Amino acid sequence: MNPYLQFKKDLKDTAEKILTKEYIEKQGIFNYDYIRYILDYPAHPKLRWHYNFIWIILGLAIWEQEFIHKRVEDNIEAYY
C-alpha cells in the first residue's frame, strides 16, 4: 500500500468524515490540530509517513466504533 496514493484516492475524504474535531477531542489521545494540518497540507509523496499515521489512527477509530461502542450499544439494547 502506498499511503500517498491512498491519501489522494480516498483516505483524506474518509479521514475528514471520521476524524472530526469532536471525535478526536473526546478520545483524548491525539492532537486534532496536527491531524488537521496533515489533512489541509497539499498532498506530496514525501509526506507518506504522515499519511501512514492518518491511516493508522483512522483504523483505530473505525475499530473503536465497531468493537467498543457497538458492544456498549448492543448491551444497552439487550438490557432494555
Side-chain angles (χ1 to χ4, degrees):
M1 188 216 44
N2 183 326
Y4 168 68
L5 296 177
Q6 199 65 35
F7 186 79
K8 286 179 54 178
K9 183 179 176 185
D10 59 1
L11 178 63
K12 180 179 179 179
D13 293 337
T14 304
E16 288 180 331
K17 291 176 187 172
I18 296 175
L19 301 177
T20 63
K21 183 173 184 166
E22 295 78 24
Y23 172 76
I24 295 299
E25 289 178 351
K26 180 181 170 190
Q27 190 183 45
I29 298 173
F30 300 104
N31 181 333
Y32 177 76
D33 292 333
Y34 180 68
I35 294 168
R36 188 76 250 165
Y37 183 78
I38 294 170
L39 295 174
D40 289 341
Y41 200 84
H44 193 281
K46 288 188 177 182
L47 298 175
R48 67 187 175 276
W49 293 110
H50 292 81
Y51 306 142
N52 194 45
F53 169 72
I54 295 294
W55 177 269
I56 291 168
I57 62 173
L58 183 59
L60 175 65
I62 293 169
W63 179 87
E64 181 183 23
Q65 284 295 328
E66 286 297 314
F67 296 103
I68 302 299
H69 297 297
K70 182 97 171 153
R71 285 187 185 158
V72 171
E73 291 170 6
D74 290 346
N75 287 338
I76 289 172
E77 288 175 8
Y79 181 74
Y80 292 102

